[in-house]
Amino acid sequence: MFVFESGNVAAATGVRLARVQVIAAYPITPQTPLTEKLSEYVDSGSFDAEYVAVESEHSALAVCIGASSTSARTFTATSANGLLYMAEQLHWTAGARLPMVMCVVNRAVGAPFNIWNDHQDSISQRDTGWIQIYAKDHQEILDTVIKAYRLSEEVCIPVMVCYDGYYLSHTYMPYDVPDQVAVDAFLPPYEYRHTLGPNNPTSLNTVTLPGGRPDIHGEFAPGYMELRHNLHMEMKQAIDIYTRIDGEFAEIIGRGGNPIAEKHLCDDAEYVAVALGSMANQIKDVVVRLRDDGLKVGLLALSLYRPFPSEFLAAELADRKGVIVFEKALSFGHSGTVCADLQAALYPCASRPPVWNYILGLGGRSYQSADFYDAIRDCVERGSAKFDNPGWIGLGR
Amino acid sequence: MEEKKTTVLNLTDEEFVYPGNRACTGCGLNILYRIGLKAIGRDAILVVPPSCLTVMQGLYPITSTQLSVLNVTFASTAAAASGVKAALRAQKNDHTQVVAWAGDGGTADIGIQALSGAIERGEDFLYICYDNEGYMNTGVQRSGTTPQGALTANTSINGKRERSKDVPAIVAAHSPAYVATCSAAYPMDFHDKIKKALSLKGLKYIHAHTPCPPGWAMEERMAVAIGRLAVSTGIYVLYEIEGGEMRLSEPSAKLLGKKKLPPVSEYLEAQGRFKALGKEAVEKLQQEVDAKWAAYRRQHDVALAARGPQS
Ligand SMILES: Cc1ncc(C[n+]2csc(CCOP(=O)(O)OP(=O)(O)O)c2C)c(N)n1
Ligand code: SF4
């Protein structure tokens, strides 16, 4: 059924269709309408879930940690400083291997205080052990929330579904809502792997030594380092697992096919632009115009950021004449964060195209399609000669 | 009103804590944990933040506890317990008890926001704070409940300057279902208060005074004796609050009939941590304790008069 609704409502719809059992959240703009919607569903009785209105984000994720450990499908959502206030809990969730989905409605981080969109919040949390998927439009928000539960529960790693504040959270777009029967066929009930309770007493997250040691039966139990290694290896495997899950989603629901990235006019492109989130959508049209003007340009709209699809990107990009990365976050004193990761992925390749990097849109700073057009054209025509890397779009506006 | 009291004779001999855990010799928490779990029983999930209790539980993959325990971050005990409870509700499980068990640092200081939020939401679980009056796990630093004048690793010259936070009173101001104070020196009282708490719906809070030999600089064999001195000198008071009514518990209630209590200096001098307390400070503390008990006696007399001649 097609509806015309906001991105936040799309996320709430995904949560409901996923039959989430426990929701905990604390308000922060622009996430607020999402969790308000969920509390409305729960209060009106149209959605059978527990909604815990907590006193902070730290507690929101703590509720989710408790609930997920006790075998309930759980959800939370936040933005910016709320996400950072969860930092300790983010590591705890992933380290404890708890399945869970969180929407991060991307917003700039203070200080200075700013409520508009960029990606610094989630990107700065890339090393917490959470899977990070970025949605470009409302349909992707809804579908990704549902797919993310399958993925999270299969690999026992929590997933952030990130989408742009305002650009997606508060704008309206038409999108298709799958019916519950189809979603149920795709997403079975959460199968309990963590069994807290009287039947099988377990101590979770006890102090773990650097080295392994025998358990009471004399069998080797992993130490901290093995457990971290497992998380790393299983995170990497999540790329293939997510691709398979996306295929199953496509079979049942009838959509999907770009779990890692959507390629747009990429096949014969000499230059490829790379971007996350809603700006990738905007660049689609820009690429068409550049083609009209005779430049062989394509777009790779990256949706899976952690695990980082290095092999995929190397295979896609190593033989191009140039790659242009647009991003709304950076690692201060270094470069755009996605760009740095991408450069590392290309490093082992025999041929390595130049990678140009643009920072834009921080704290909601405006940008237009013309900015992408000019920036890409500049790279293609003048190469890196006259270019600070990263370049900045929109300073002084 | 008259509940059956548990004694060592009718206490269950089922054990829920394996012997040989990592607590220090003479640890008050060890007594509370062993007896407390007997009161809680098997059908329960414990939620525990970093503290001496985490260490007592053992190192992965070996644990000293025979119940399910979820270890959580320092600040989040009451919120994580809320999550466990929410999951049980979602599973229509109304029999498994959820018990949060944290130290005074994890309760009075870093965890107080989560605790306050959970009480305000009317969560249905038992929260136990064992109060060894300091951050013992990290090497005896001051906490919000460290008494004024006590020497700790970061108040090592003059002792703590500030008064201690009255956490049970803070909790009581939220009007939860039940508040009680206990002492590791009176484990059966603790046992029975847990039993009672678990029979009630809503958030129940038990605060247990917990002598700690290394933290309090006292001999290991003295933990129980010093815990008892705290109660008998009237410095630590055992009580329950239910439906807004405060009632002294037996070990404290019997002090009402005494004309004079042993001086608090007996309690203070038995520990090395109060060495920096001057005479004046001890006298002031004695006056405070006397004033507190004078008030209890007045309230008691009024209550007796109100009850009339029949008793
Ligand atoms: C966020 C955070 N800050 C600090 C610590 C270090 N830490 C671990 S236990 C502890 C003290 C615990 O004190 P308390 O709750 O009183 O329990 P006790 O050790 O006395 O049993 C501290 C400060 C931590 N684990 N997490
Ligand atoms: S430091 Fe104190 S509370 Fe901690 S285990 Fe030792 S005696 Fe017990």
Side-chain angles (χ1 to χ4, degrees):
Chain A
M1 182 186 66
F2 270 86
V3 298
F4 185 69
E5 268 292 358
S6 71
N8 275 333
V9 171
T13 308
V15 171
R16 190 161 81 159
L17 286 168
R19 295 193 188 276
V20 167
Q21 293 160 295
V22 175
I23 300 158
Y26 192 76
I28 182 168
T29 306
Q31 160 262 42
T32 321
L34 159 57
T35 49
E36 284 172 352
K37 197 74 193 164
L38 288 170
S39 71
E40 180 191 313
Y41 291 155
V42 173
D43 277 358
S44 68
S46 69
F47 179 23
D48 183 18
E50 298 292 327
Y51 188 100
V52 188
V54 283
E55 76 295 336
S56 75
E57 287 87 354
H58 193 276
S59 286
L61 204 45
V63 166
C64 294
I65 285 167
S68 183
S69 306
T70 317
S71 318
R73 186 171 284 161
T74 44
F75 177 80
T76 187
T78 190
S79 300
N81 292 59
L83 181 68
L84 303 188
Y85 194 43
M86 288 177 175
E88 177 191 32
Q89 307 288 68
L90 293 173
H91 286 272
W92 196 275
T93 318
R97 302 296 298 270
L98 294 173
M100 170 185 318
V101 173
M102 161 158 63
C103 281
V104 177
V105 188
N106 288 114
R107 156 179 157 180
V109 170
F113 201 73
N114 177 294
I115 62 161
W116 290 274
N117 165 255
D118 67 36
H119 290 161
Q120 193 70 38
D121 52 358
S122 53
I123 294 284
S124 73
Q125 299 307 302
R126 66 166 194 187
D127 298 333
T128 52
W130 282 63
I131 291 171
Q132 287 197 7
I133 306 173
Y134 289 76
K136 297 195 282 302
D137 57 34
H138 294 21
Q139 190 71 63
E140 277 194 8
I141 295 171
L142 192 162
D143 293 354
T144 307
V145 166
I146 296 167
K147 286 187 276 191
Y149 276 104
R150 266 290 295 278
L151 176 63
S152 184
E153 288 163 17
E154 205 158 307
V155 297
C156 285
I157 298 174
V159 180
M160 279 181 210
V161 176
C162 307
Y163 60 91
D164 289 311
Y166 307 109
Y167 290 100
L168 298 177
S169 65
H170 284 63
T171 56
Y172 281 60
M173 273 189 212
Y175 54 89
D176 174 53
V177 177
D179 62 58
Q180 186 71 60
V181 179
V183 175
D184 288 346
F186 168 75
L187 180 65
Y190 178 21
E191 277 218 31
Y192 308 161
R193 294 204 203 177
H194 299 275
T195 44
L196 283 176
N199 300 331
N200 177 25
T202 329
S203 276
L204 292 182
N205 317 326
T206 45
V207 178
T208 302
L209 293 168
R213 69 198 287 252
D215 67 12
I216 50 164
H217 309 294
E219 268 173 48
F220 180 80
Y224 185 84
M225 187 133 158
E226 283 79 20
L227 296 172
R228 304 307 269 182
H229 177 248
N230 289 350
L231 175 57
H232 176 65
M233 297 311 285
E234 285 161 31
M235 180 89 137
K236 285 181 126 185
Q237 284 164 15
I239 299 177
D240 289 342
I241 294 171
Y242 189 48
T243 306
R244 169 172 56 72
I245 287 171
D246 185 74
E248 289 171 31
F249 185 85
E251 255 171 52
I252 296 172
I253 313 281
R255 271 193 301 279
N258 300 305
I260 300 175
E262 186 182 327
K263 291 186 276 178
H264 198 66
L265 302 179
C266 259
D267 287 348
D268 65 338
E270 293 172 344
Y271 296 86
V272 176
V274 175
L276 291 176
S278 63
M279 73 181 149
N281 251 355
Q282 197 171 349
I283 300 173
K284 278 188 196 168
D285 296 335
V286 174
V287 167
V288 172
R289 260 180 54 207
L290 286 159
R291 286 267 173 174
D292 289 344
D293 294 344
L295 300 184
K296 280 191 143 176
V297 178
L299 165 73
L300 212 143
L302 189 62
S303 46
L304 189 64
Y305 178 56
R306 277 293 178 279
F308 196 64
S310 299
E311 283 172 22
F312 169 91
L313 291 169
E316 285 295 331
L317 299 175
D319 295 324
R320 314 284 177 168
K321 286 194 181 159
V323 176
I324 307 119
V325 184
F326 294 99
E327 53 190 316
K328 292 183 184 176
L330 74 163
S331 178
F332 293 98
H334 184 36
S335 73
T337 324
V338 178
C339 174
D341 286 336
L342 180 63
Q343 285 170 323
L346 292 173
Y347 188 77
C349 302
S351 72
R352 293 195 290 264
V355 180
W356 297 295
N357 190 194
Y358 283 104
I359 306 296
L360 69 152
L362 301 190
R365 175 60 55 92
S366 66
Y367 53 85
Q368 274 97 38
S369 295
D371 293 320
F372 295 110
Y373 181 92
D374 292 345
I376 295 172
R377 216 181 160 111
D378 215 46
C379 291
V380 172
E381 288 177 350
R382 291 196 280 173
S384 58
K386 305 188 85 185
F387 193 77
D388 283 337
N389 224 1
W392 290 67
I393 292 175
L395 281 180
R397 237 170 226 169
Chain B
M1 268 280 165
E2 274 312 300
E3 295 99 13
K4 229 181 84 217
K5 297 248 182 294
T6 305
T7 67
V8 279
L9 296 177
N10 58 13
L11 181 71
T12 174
D13 43 21
E14 202 178 355
E15 296 291 346
F16 300 87
V17 191
Y18 292 104
N21 65 45
R22 286 171 188 266
C24 309
T25 316
C27 170
L29 170 60
N30 220 356
I31 303 171
L32 290 170
Y33 201 50
R34 177 166 172 233
I35 304 298
L37 294 199
K38 285 174 186 261
I40 292 166
R42 278 210 191 275
D43 192 6
I45 298 171
L46 304 186
V47 181
V48 175
S51 56
C52 286
L53 183 48
T54 338
V55 177
M56 268 174 58
Q57 257 178 270
L59 303 178
Y60 177 80
I62 293 169
T63 173
S64 68
T65 304
Q66 301 181 41
L67 302 181
S68 275
V69 186
L70 177 64
N71 287 85
V72 298
T73 61
F74 203 20
S76 72
T77 316
S82 306
V84 172
K85 193 69 204 183
L88 294 174
R89 272 199 307 275
Q91 290 155 13
K92 317 275 179 253
N93 173 339
D94 59 3
H95 51 85
T96 300
Q97 295 283 1
V98 177
V99 180
W101 196 318
D104 48 289
T107 304
D109 300 335
I110 197 169
I112 199 162
Q113 167 183 284
L115 174 60
S116 173
I119 314 172
E120 191 259 339
R121 286 194 300 276
E123 296 284 351
D124 180 20
F125 61 80
L126 169 61
Y127 190 107
I128 297 172
C129 168
Y130 68 95
D131 186 2
N132 52 24
E133 301 185 333
Y135 298 144
M136 300 316 181
N137 179 243
T138 40
V140 193
Q141 296 86 22
R142 79 188 286 288
S143 82
T145 66
T146 302
Q148 197 166 20
L151 296 170
T152 70
N154 57 0
T155 58
S156 60
I157 308 295
N158 303 315
K160 187 189 176 192
R161 288 181 201 283
E162 306 81 11
R163 299 175 67 92
S164 73
K165 279 193 207 178
D166 186 349
V167 183
I170 295 170
V171 169
H174 292 67
S175 305
Y178 181 72
V179 178
T181 57
C182 293
S183 161
Y186 295 89
M188 295 308 152
D189 176 64
F190 180 60
H191 178 280
D192 288 353
K193 282 172 174 165
I194 291 178
K195 281 257 178 232
K196 176 168 186 183
L198 293 179
S199 73
L200 303 170
K201 270 230 155 307
L203 198 133
K204 290 80 64 174
Y205 179 83
I206 294 181
H207 194 98
H209 196 230
T210 310
C212 158
W216 294 11
M218 65 195 194
E219 277 186 67
E220 285 136 0
R221 65 188 174 85
M222 294 300 285
V224 169
I226 287 175
R228 286 183 169 253
L229 264 179
V231 174
S232 63
T233 58
I235 216 173
Y236 196 84
V237 185
L238 302 186
Y239 61 84
E240 294 173 284
I241 303 174
E242 227 188 314
E245 293 272 333
M246 194 252 220
R247 187 157 60 109
L248 292 180
S249 310
E250 195 185 87
S252 290
K254 54 181 201 217
L255 306 185
L256 286 172
K258 301 206 162 149
K259 289 240 149 25
K260 201 164 162 49
L261 307 182
V264 293
S265 58
E266 277 187 28
Y267 169 71
L268 301 172
E269 280 161 13
Q271 304 165 58
R273 65 174 169 155
F274 291 114
K275 272 198 310 226
L277 265 189
K279 245 182 116 188
E280 267 174 46
V282 174
E283 265 164 33
K284 191 165 160 256
L285 187 58
Q286 184 66 61
Q287 282 165 11
E288 281 173 22
V289 171
D290 290 346
K292 180 165 74 179
W293 280 92
Y296 285 146
R297 289 203 180 86
R298 277 196 303 277
Q299 281 162 18
H300 180 68
D301 292 345
V302 170
L304 273 189
R307 240 194 276 165
Q310 71 268 31
S311 54

